[in-house]
Amino acid sequence: MSAPLRIAVVGAGPAGIYAADILKKSAAETGREVLIDLFEHLPAPYGLVRYGVAPDHPRIKGIIQALREVLESGVVRLFGNVRFGEDITLDDLERLYHGVIFATGATKDAPLDIPGVDLPGSYGAADFVSWYDGHPDVPREWPLEAKEIAVIGNGNVALDVARMLVKHPEDLMPTEVPANVVAGLEASPVTDVHVFGRRGPLHVKFTPLELRELGELRDVDMILHDDDFGVDPDEESLKQNKQILVISRVLDQWRQREVGQASRRLHLHFWSRPDAIVGDTRVEALRIERTRPTEHGLEGTGEYREIPVQAVYRAVGYFSSPLADVPFDERRGVIPNIAGRVQDGSRPMPGMYATGWIKRGPVGLIGHTKSDAKETVEHLLGDEHSWWTPAPYDVDAVPRLLEERGVAWTDIAGWIRLDEHEIGLGAPHGRARVKVVDRGEMIGVSRGER
Ligand SMILES: Cc1cc2nc3c(=O)[nH]c(=O)nc-3n(C[C@H](O)[C@H](O)[C@H](O)COP(=O)(O)OP(=O)(O)OC[C@H]3O[C@@H](n4cnc5c(N)ncnc54)[C@H](O)[C@@H]3O)c2cc1C
C-alpha cells in the first residue's frame, strides 16, 4: 500500500473546505489514504461565508453547517491564525507535503479610477462588509454620518451594502450582527440610499431573490425612474432569460407602488456612469453621466448630473491579493492556472494548485466553488508523477514548526469552543449568536485561555 498522500490547503473558505472534502472522497475511491492540513489566516474558518455573506441572510450562513461537517470528519486538521507567506512558507510546504491547493479567495475592493475617489466619505464596499460582518482586522468604528448615500454597482454586493445601510437596525436584531455594528447603525441619520448602475435594468447582475428582498424592507420606499425603462432596443430578447424576466417584473411592480409614507428611501438609478466624486474636503456629491445602449454595448450621452450625497460606497467587485513566492496575474487578480494547475507564464508549477475565487476571479456563488474544487482535485490526483517529494511523515512537524515560530494557532476543537461561546453570548437575547470581533479574544477563547 502506498504512503498516505499529504496535501496542504491554504484558505479555509468554502473553496478550500470543499477541496478538502472532494480530495478525501476521491482518494478514498482509489483506496488511497490522504492527510489534509488546512491553513487559515483568520482564527475562524469559512472565509466570506462568515465575513462576506450579510448577517440577515441566515439561510446562506447555514452552509456553514455542511462545511463544519467536513472539518469534523477526522481527515482534515485545521491550523487557524496561520498566515501563508509569514507564519508558513512555500518552502515549508514543499518539505512537508506532496502538494498544495491555494484557496485564498479575495478580500479587497477592486479599484475604481474616477476623480475624488480618495475623498473622505468614499468607501470600498469590501471594507464596509468586513465591518458589519465583524472581521477582526478592520477598525471597530464605522463613520455612519451621511443622510444621503450613493452605492456604485449593480451586483449582489451593491444590494447587500444598500440594504444594510437603509434597513432599520431593529430588524437585524435576531441575526448574528455584532453589537458594535448595531450601535453604529442605530446612530445612522440615513434617509436616502441611491444605487447606480452603468447599464439598464435588464443588464443588472442582481439575483432575483436578493432584489425582491429590498421591496420587503420595513418603512423603506423603493424609488425608480420611468425614464430608465423602455430604453433598451434588445428588451424582448433580454427577457428570454428567465432570471431577467423575473427581475423586470419585480421592478415593474415597484414602479406601480404608492410611495411617500416611509422614513427611508432606496433609489435605483440605471444608465448612470459614475464620472467623479465631488467635494472640497469630503464627499458632497456623485457626478454621473447618463449612458445609452448602442449596438456594441454602451456610450456616454454627455449629459451630466450631480446627486448630493455625503458618502459613496464603491461596490464594483472584489480583488485578490498576491501570495509570497506564488505567481500572480496582476491584471486579473488571480493565480495564473490552467484548470486549477498553477502556471508561471507557460511553465507549470508542479505540486501547486488553485481553487475558488483565487483561481477564477471574484465572481460566482458559494456553490460554484464546489465544481471548481472538483476540477482542481481531479488534476491533482492525476499528477502523481509531478508531486513534491516530502520528508517522511511526522504528525508533530507542523505544530512544532508553528510553536518554534511563536504562532498562536487554533484548531478545530478551538473553533468549536469559539462557536459555542458565540452562540452562548447570543442565547439570552434570542439571537443566533453574537460574533466575537477582537482577534485576541477569538484566539484566547479558541485556545481555552479565556
Ligand atoms: C459581500 C459578499 C456577499 C456574498 N453573499 C453571497 C451569498 O449570499 N450567497 C452566495 O452563494 N455567495 C455569496 N458570496 C460569494 C461567496 O462568498 C464566494 O463565492 C465564496 O466565499 C468564495 O470562496 P473562496 O473560498 O474562494 O474565498 P473566501 O471565501 O474569500 O475564502 C478564502 C479564505 O482564505 C483565507 N486566506 C487568504 N489569504 C490567506 C493567507 N495568506 N494565508 C492563509 N489564509 C488566507 C481567508 O482568510 C479566507 O478565509 C458573497 C460574496 C461577497 C463578497
Side-chain angles (χ1 to χ4, degrees), residues 11 13-15 40-41 47-48 52 60 84 103-105 160 318 356-357 364-366:
E40 168 56 50
H41 156 61
L48 285 169
I60 309 290
F84 174 84
T104 48
D160 278 350
Y318 272 55
W357 276 15
L365 298 173
I366 297 161

Side-chain angles (χ1 to χ4, degrees), residues 19 66 80 216 257 361 377 409 420:
E216 290 156 15
R257 275 193 192 173
V377 166
W409 52 278
E420 285 168 358

Side-chain angles (χ1 to χ4, degrees), residues 10-16 39-42 44-49 52-54 57 60 63 82-85 103-107 129 132 135 157 160 210 318 323 355-358 360 363-367 369:
V10 180
F39 295 95
E40 168 56 50
H41 156 61
L42 294 171
Y46 312 134
L48 285 169
V49 186
V53 171
H57 280 174
I60 309 290
I63 292 173
V82 177
R83 187 168 182 79
F84 174 84
T104 48
T107 43
V129 168
Y132 70 58
H135 194 293
V157 175
D160 278 350
E210 274 67 28
Y318 272 55
L323 297 168
T355 194
W357 276 15
I358 192 72
R360 67 179 152 80
V363 282
L365 298 173
I366 297 161
T369 62

Side-chain angles (χ1 to χ4, degrees), residues 246-257:
V246 178
I247 285 173
S248 159
R249 286 188 180 146
V250 171
L251 296 175
D252 283 342
Q253 278 166 18
W254 291 346
R255 288 169 67 200
Q256 313 303 325
R257 275 193 192 173

